[in-house]
Amino acid sequence: RLANGLALLRDIDLRHAVHTLDLPCQLIHGTQDAVTPFAAAEWLQPAVGADLHALDGASHALPITHPTQIATLLTARMEPQA
């Protein structure tokens, strides 16, 4: 099952569809992510009009390695804007 899921992630390309998203988006990405390169977040940011937060030196599993930073960013995003 894992192999099937990984193959799907490898083979599917949804870049053509990201422009159809019409919702607030926040990208939080590690600059040293070896699974999904930071360049992918840099490409996605203008495509969806997202805020991009780079976590310097961080890799892929941000909720595990940087839980406080993730919680702070998400909480700030959910607070009502004045």
Side-chain angles (χ1 to χ4, degrees), residues 6 8 15 18 21-22 28 30 33-34 41 45 49-50 58 65 68 72-73 76-78 81-82:
L6 292 173
L8 179 65
R15 287 177 286 184
V18 298
L21 296 175
D22 186 23
I28 306 170
D33 189 333
Q45 180 201 10
T65 60
T68 302
T72 299
L73 289 167
R77 178 67 178 214
M78 292 185 287
Q81 302 296 316

mmCIF file of all heavy atoms in Angstrom, residues 6 8 15 18 21-22 28 30 33-34 41 45 49-50 58 65 68 72-73 76-78 81-82:
data_model
loop_
_atom_site.group_PDB
_atom_site.id
_atom_site.type_symbol
_atom_site.label_atom_id
_atom_site.label_comp_id
_atom_site.label_asym_id
_atom_site.label_seq_id
_atom_site.Cartn_x
_atom_site.Cartn_y
_atom_site.Cartn_z
ATOM 1 N N LEU A 6 3.097 6.026 -2.728
ATOM 2 C CA LEU A 6 4.283 6.762 -3.157
ATOM 3 C C LEU A 6 4.348 6.873 -4.678
ATOM 4 O O LEU A 6 4.754 7.911 -5.214
ATOM 5 C CB LEU A 6 5.544 6.101 -2.605
ATOM 6 C CG LEU A 6 5.708 6.195 -1.089
ATOM 7 C CD1 LEU A 6 6.901 5.363 -0.632
ATOM 8 C CD2 LEU A 6 5.831 7.634 -0.631
ATOM 9 N N LEU A 8 1.764 7.000 -6.659
ATOM 10 C CA LEU A 8 0.765 8.007 -7.014
ATOM 11 C C LEU A 8 1.326 9.415 -6.818
ATOM 12 O O LEU A 8 1.193 10.275 -7.691
ATOM 13 C CB LEU A 8 -0.502 7.819 -6.177
ATOM 14 C CG LEU A 8 -1.627 8.806 -6.421
ATOM 15 C CD1 LEU A 8 -2.175 8.651 -7.835
ATOM 16 C CD2 LEU A 8 -2.739 8.608 -5.408
ATOM 17 N N ARG A 15 -0.300 20.543 -11.188
ATOM 18 C CA ARG A 15 0.074 21.953 -11.326
ATOM 19 C C ARG A 15 -0.925 22.735 -12.175
ATOM 20 O O ARG A 15 -1.172 23.906 -11.906
ATOM 21 C CB ARG A 15 1.474 22.072 -11.917
ATOM 22 C CG ARG A 15 2.553 21.677 -10.911
ATOM 23 C CD ARG A 15 3.906 21.743 -11.532
ATOM 24 N NE ARG A 15 4.049 20.603 -12.434
ATOM 25 C CZ ARG A 15 5.144 20.309 -13.097
ATOM 26 N NH1 ARG A 15 6.207 21.088 -12.999
ATOM 27 N NH2 ARG A 15 5.199 19.255 -13.886
ATOM 28 N N VAL A 18 -3.936 24.192 -9.881
ATOM 29 C CA VAL A 18 -3.800 25.050 -8.701
ATOM 30 C C VAL A 18 -4.414 26.429 -8.913
ATOM 31 O O VAL A 18 -4.858 27.058 -7.953
ATOM 32 C CB VAL A 18 -2.334 25.192 -8.231
ATOM 33 C CG1 VAL A 18 -1.771 23.864 -7.819
ATOM 34 C CG2 VAL A 18 -1.488 25.861 -9.270
ATOM 35 N N LEU A 21 -7.967 27.136 -7.399
ATOM 36 C CA LEU A 21 -8.204 27.270 -5.963
ATOM 37 C C LEU A 21 -8.604 28.705 -5.642
ATOM 38 O O LEU A 21 -7.955 29.651 -6.074
ATOM 39 C CB LEU A 21 -6.956 26.897 -5.169
ATOM 40 C CG LEU A 21 -6.504 25.446 -5.281
ATOM 41 C CD1 LEU A 21 -5.191 25.254 -4.546
ATOM 42 C CD2 LEU A 21 -7.562 24.512 -4.742
ATOM 43 N N ASP A 22 -9.659 28.848 -4.882
ATOM 44 C CA ASP A 22 -10.147 30.170 -4.491
ATOM 45 C C ASP A 22 -10.410 30.162 -2.993
ATOM 46 O O ASP A 22 -11.556 30.169 -2.544
ATOM 47 C CB ASP A 22 -11.412 30.530 -5.279
ATOM 48 C CG ASP A 22 -11.862 31.955 -5.012
ATOM 49 O OD1 ASP A 22 -11.020 32.782 -4.610
ATOM 50 O OD2 ASP A 22 -13.060 32.228 -5.198
ATOM 51 N N ILE A 28 3.819 26.710 4.629
ATOM 52 C CA ILE A 28 4.878 26.661 5.637
ATOM 53 C C ILE A 28 5.810 25.550 5.173
ATOM 54 O O ILE A 28 5.402 24.393 5.074
ATOM 55 C CB ILE A 28 4.317 26.362 7.041
ATOM 56 C CG1 ILE A 28 3.217 27.359 7.405
ATOM 57 C CG2 ILE A 28 5.444 26.375 8.067
ATOM 58 C CD1 ILE A 28 2.444 26.993 8.664
ATOM 59 N N GLY A 30 9.958 23.932 4.907
ATOM 60 C CA GLY A 30 11.353 23.902 5.329
ATOM 61 C C GLY A 30 12.280 24.147 4.150
ATOM 62 O O GLY A 30 12.073 23.603 3.067
ATOM 63 N N ASP A 33 14.024 20.800 2.817
ATOM 64 C CA ASP A 33 13.132 19.664 2.576
ATOM 65 C C ASP A 33 13.644 18.865 1.382
ATOM 66 O O ASP A 33 13.684 19.361 0.259
ATOM 67 C CB ASP A 33 11.721 20.173 2.301
ATOM 68 C CG ASP A 33 10.687 19.072 2.264
ATOM 69 O OD1 ASP A 33 11.038 17.918 1.953
ATOM 70 O OD2 ASP A 33 9.512 19.372 2.533
ATOM 71 N N ALA A 34 14.050 17.625 1.615
ATOM 72 C CA ALA A 34 14.562 16.767 0.546
ATOM 73 C C ALA A 34 13.442 15.993 -0.145
ATOM 74 O O ALA A 34 13.648 15.426 -1.208
ATOM 75 C CB ALA A 34 15.593 15.788 1.108
ATOM 76 N N ALA A 41 7.459 25.212 -3.228
ATOM 77 C CA ALA A 41 6.666 26.202 -2.482
ATOM 78 C C ALA A 41 6.811 27.577 -3.116
ATOM 79 O O ALA A 41 5.839 28.338 -3.187
ATOM 80 C CB ALA A 41 7.102 26.238 -1.023
ATOM 81 N N GLN A 45 3.471 29.547 -4.389
ATOM 82 C CA GLN A 45 3.041 30.772 -3.707
ATOM 83 C C GLN A 45 2.327 31.762 -4.625
ATOM 84 O O GLN A 45 1.182 32.123 -4.359
ATOM 85 C CB GLN A 45 4.219 31.450 -3.032
ATOM 86 C CG GLN A 45 3.800 32.721 -2.327
ATOM 87 C CD GLN A 45 4.939 33.668 -2.090
ATOM 88 O OE1 GLN A 45 6.034 33.498 -2.602
ATOM 89 N NE2 GLN A 45 4.676 34.693 -1.312
ATOM 90 N N GLY A 49 -1.628 32.637 -4.669
ATOM 91 C CA GLY A 49 -1.714 33.852 -3.864
ATOM 92 C C GLY A 49 -1.528 33.588 -2.384
ATOM 93 O O GLY A 49 -2.191 34.189 -1.551
ATOM 94 N N ALA A 50 -0.622 32.677 -2.062
ATOM 95 C CA ALA A 50 -0.428 32.259 -0.675
ATOM 96 C C ALA A 50 0.614 33.096 0.035
ATOM 97 O O ALA A 50 1.468 33.724 -0.587
ATOM 98 C CB ALA A 50 0.007 30.795 -0.645
ATOM 99 N N ALA A 58 14.959 23.748 8.139
ATOM 100 C CA ALA A 58 13.996 22.679 8.449
ATOM 101 C C ALA A 58 13.813 21.763 7.250
ATOM 102 O O ALA A 58 13.996 22.164 6.103
ATOM 103 C CB ALA A 58 12.660 23.283 8.854
ATOM 104 N N THR A 65 9.065 18.292 13.888
ATOM 105 C CA THR A 65 10.328 18.936 14.224
ATOM 106 C C THR A 65 10.186 20.384 14.687
ATOM 107 O O THR A 65 11.043 20.899 15.398
ATOM 108 C CB THR A 65 11.284 18.907 13.021
ATOM 109 O OG1 THR A 65 10.687 19.605 11.915
ATOM 110 C CG2 THR A 65 11.603 17.474 12.614
ATOM 111 N N THR A 68 6.019 24.165 17.658
ATOM 112 C CA THR A 68 5.687 25.480 18.208
ATOM 113 C C THR A 68 5.600 26.520 17.104
ATOM 114 O O THR A 68 4.666 27.331 17.076
ATOM 115 C CB THR A 68 6.726 25.893 19.268
ATOM 116 O OG1 THR A 68 6.749 24.883 20.287
ATOM 117 C CG2 THR A 68 6.378 27.234 19.875
ATOM 118 N N THR A 72 2.204 28.523 16.077
ATOM 119 C CA THR A 72 2.189 29.984 16.107
ATOM 120 C C THR A 72 1.724 30.558 14.778
ATOM 121 O O THR A 72 0.878 31.465 14.737
ATOM 122 C CB THR A 72 3.585 30.524 16.470
ATOM 123 O OG1 THR A 72 3.940 30.032 17.770
ATOM 124 C CG2 THR A 72 3.614 32.041 16.463
ATOM 125 N N LEU A 73 2.254 30.042 13.675
ATOM 126 C CA LEU A 73 1.867 30.530 12.350
ATOM 127 C C LEU A 73 0.395 30.256 12.060
ATOM 128 O O LEU A 73 -0.318 31.123 11.542
ATOM 129 C CB LEU A 73 2.755 29.909 11.275
ATOM 130 C CG LEU A 73 4.188 30.409 11.241
ATOM 131 C CD1 LEU A 73 5.043 29.506 10.362
ATOM 132 C CD2 LEU A 73 4.237 31.844 10.746
ATOM 133 N N ALA A 76 -1.906 32.476 14.307
ATOM 134 C CA ALA A 76 -1.928 33.864 13.830
ATOM 135 C C ALA A 76 -2.794 33.991 12.598
ATOM 136 O O ALA A 76 -3.519 34.979 12.416
ATOM 137 C CB ALA A 76 -0.507 34.342 13.541
ATOM 138 N N ARG A 77 -2.766 32.995 11.749
ATOM 139 C CA ARG A 77 -3.562 33.028 10.501
ATOM 140 C C ARG A 77 -5.054 32.949 10.813
ATOM 141 O O ARG A 77 -5.878 33.515 10.085
ATOM 142 C CB ARG A 77 -3.132 31.871 9.606
ATOM 143 C CG ARG A 77 -3.875 31.734 8.338
ATOM 144 C CD ARG A 77 -3.598 32.905 7.408
ATOM 145 N NE ARG A 77 -4.299 32.722 6.164
ATOM 146 C CZ ARG A 77 -3.844 33.106 5.000
ATOM 147 N NH1 ARG A 77 -2.678 33.697 4.919
ATOM 148 N NH2 ARG A 77 -4.538 32.917 3.929
ATOM 149 N N MET A 78 -5.426 32.254 11.864
ATOM 150 C CA MET A 78 -6.835 32.057 12.190
ATOM 151 C C MET A 78 -7.445 33.210 12.979
ATOM 152 O O MET A 78 -8.652 33.317 13.076
ATOM 153 C CB MET A 78 -7.028 30.747 12.950
ATOM 154 C CG MET A 78 -6.762 29.533 12.088
ATOM 155 S SD MET A 78 -7.126 27.969 12.918
ATOM 156 C CE MET A 78 -5.779 27.866 14.068
ATOM 157 N N GLN A 81 -8.708 39.400 11.457
ATOM 158 C CA GLN A 81 -7.925 40.555 11.024
ATOM 159 C C GLN A 81 -8.684 41.833 11.361
ATOM 160 O O GLN A 81 -9.877 41.923 11.126
ATOM 161 C CB GLN A 81 -7.656 40.481 9.528
ATOM 162 C CG GLN A 81 -6.927 39.223 9.106
ATOM 163 C CD GLN A 81 -5.526 39.115 9.694
ATOM 164 O OE1 GLN A 81 -4.797 40.088 9.708
ATOM 165 N NE2 GLN A 81 -5.175 37.952 10.194
ATOM 166 N N ALA A 82 -7.996 42.804 11.912
ATOM 167 C CA ALA A 82 -8.641 44.070 12.278
ATOM 168 C C ALA A 82 -8.862 44.949 11.071
ATOM 169 O O ALA A 82 -8.268 44.852 10.070
ATOM 170 C CB ALA A 82 -7.793 44.795 13.308
#
